[in-house]
Amino acid sequence: MYNFFRKNGFVIAGGAIQGFGMGLFLFPHAIPSGGAGGLAVLLNYFLHLDMGFSLWIVNFSMLVLAIKFLGNRCAIWTMVAISVTSLSIYFFQNTISKPLGNVWVDLVIGSLFLGTGVGLLLREGVSNGGVGVIALIISTERNILPGRPLFWINVSIFFITALIISWDIIIQALISQWISTKVVDYVCGIRFHQVYTLGWRKK
């Protein structure tokens, strides 16, 4: 029971933190937060689907992969994470009146929050939705930190999107991904339980 509430707390915190970074700092400047957004843009461009529906298709497809490779439990937790993130974005954008700041300052701040939130989810074995599922599969199979595969998957999607649609925000998207995935690996590498051990304090 303790483990359930502990994991539930980290999942809710991770979803809310990344939603805060996306909703208040990245999305107002139209900076993509990851590969799922890029894939949704491509679906919208080629099939003329609504952006919300396109993003739902991408996330649903990734959930199918999560069930196949990571199990039903991971898929359920991923659904929780996606829901918390979506609600957080809506809440922060509609309740906090933040003036549009400098794009580069907001990019750094938003990326730090995004990476922290995603890192909290991935360290609990929960995907943040979208291509985070693929990164988690690769991380699990190869026993490596998920930040690097997440970065290269997103970069590939950004370049494809830029080639087909626009290069305007590719540099900002790449910098955001570099910062956020570095934070992801840092958060995933932290052993939280060490904070409470005397042995760790003596080191």
Side-chain angles (χ1 to χ4, degrees):
M1 186 62 69
Y2 167 77
N3 288 334
F4 171 81
F5 284 110
R6 173 189 170 279
K7 184 166 186 171
N8 190 58
F10 277 122
V11 170
I12 292 175
I17 291 171
Q18 75 163 333
F20 178 78
M22 293 158 65
L24 287 187
F25 298 98
L26 299 180
F27 285 176
H29 296 284
I31 300 173
S33 60
L39 291 175
V41 169
L42 291 175
L43 284 176
N44 173 264
Y45 181 81
F46 286 113
L47 303 178
H48 307 291
L49 298 176
D50 177 78
M51 275 296 297
F53 184 56
S54 297
L55 191 59
W56 181 84
I57 290 176
V58 173
N59 279 321
F60 180 79
S61 301
M62 294 301 109
L63 282 176
V64 172
L65 285 177
I67 293 172
K68 180 176 177 60
F69 291 97
L70 302 174
N72 294 334
R73 181 172 297 180
C74 177
I76 293 172
W77 282 111
T78 298
M79 291 176 65
V80 173
I82 292 172
S83 299
V84 172
T85 299
S86 299
L87 290 172
S88 297
I89 293 172
Y90 177 84
F91 173 79
F92 289 123
Q93 286 186 331
N94 287 277
T95 59
I96 298 179
S97 179
K98 175 185 174 296
L100 197 65
N102 179 276
V103 62
W104 298 106
V105 174
D106 282 355
L107 182 150
V108 172
I109 296 173
S111 299
L112 290 173
F113 279 109
L114 174 64
T116 302
V118 174
L120 287 174
L121 295 174
L122 293 181
R123 67 168 287 125
E124 293 298 316
V126 177
S127 168
N128 62 309
V131 297
V133 172
I134 301 176
L136 189 57
I137 292 172
I138 295 173
S139 171
T140 302
E141 292 293 323
R142 298 191 176 183
N143 194 28
I144 58 175
L145 292 172
R148 182 173 293 180
L150 183 62
F151 175 77
W152 288 113
I153 292 168
N154 284 330
V155 165
S156 300
I157 294 172
F158 289 155
F159 269 106
I160 293 171
T161 305
L163 281 170
I164 295 173
I165 299 177
S166 172
W167 287 91
D168 290 348
I169 58 173
I170 186 67
I171 299 300
Q172 294 171 348
L174 289 176
I175 293 174
S176 176
Q177 281 302 299
W178 183 82
I179 294 173
S180 62
T181 51
K182 287 293 184 182
V183 177
V184 166
D185 276 350
Y186 177 77
V187 173
C188 286
I190 294 175
R191 296 182 181 179
F192 291 136
H193 68 274
Q194 286 185 335
V195 176
Y196 303 103
T197 62
L198 291 174
W200 182 81
R201 290 178 181 175
K202 292 177 181 179
K203 291 182 181 179

